[in-house]
């Protein structure tokens, strides 16, 4: 997370799509979801349930 906040190119290249092309984010957080396959009659592949915060918002002190 710290490397993403710093805009470390080697770490950002690990992402399939880099959502931070123009500049690194000021804050990051992570939320945890539990995924299960949906029933075949449902019009979706997954059902997800929010479990909780995985990482509360963080930032680099040098950003401010």
């Amino acid at each position: 997370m710290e490397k993403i906040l710093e805009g470390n190119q080697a770490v950002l290249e690990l992402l399939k799509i880099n959502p931070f092309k123009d500049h690194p984010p000021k804050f990051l957080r992570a939320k945890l979801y539990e995924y299960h396959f949906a029933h075949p009659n449902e019009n979706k592949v997954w059902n997800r349930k929010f479990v909780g915060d995985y990482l509360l918002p963080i930032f680099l002190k040098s950003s401010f």
Side-chain angles (χ1 to χ4, degrees):
M1 294 296 202
E2 183 178 351
K3 294 293 184 186
I4 291 173
L5 288 168
E6 292 172 347
N8 182 289
Q9 197 59 36
V11 172
L12 292 170
E13 287 174 2
L14 297 172
L15 303 174
K16 183 176 183 178
I17 298 170
N18 179 3
F20 315 112
K21 292 176 191 165
D22 299 330
H23 51 79
K26 291 191 182 284
F27 297 91
L28 279 179
R29 70 176 178 189
K31 298 198 174 273
L32 182 62
Y33 289 87
E34 186 177 289
Y35 284 82
H36 297 278
F37 284 110
H39 190 275
N41 294 341
E42 295 182 76
N43 216 10
K44 56 185 176 180
V45 177
W46 301 104
N47 284 320
R48 77 177 189 171
K49 178 179 130 186
F50 179 66
V51 175
D53 291 322
Y54 184 75
L55 177 71
L56 294 174
I58 61 169
F59 61 93
L60 293 176
K61 289 182 182 179
S62 61
S63 301
F64 295 96

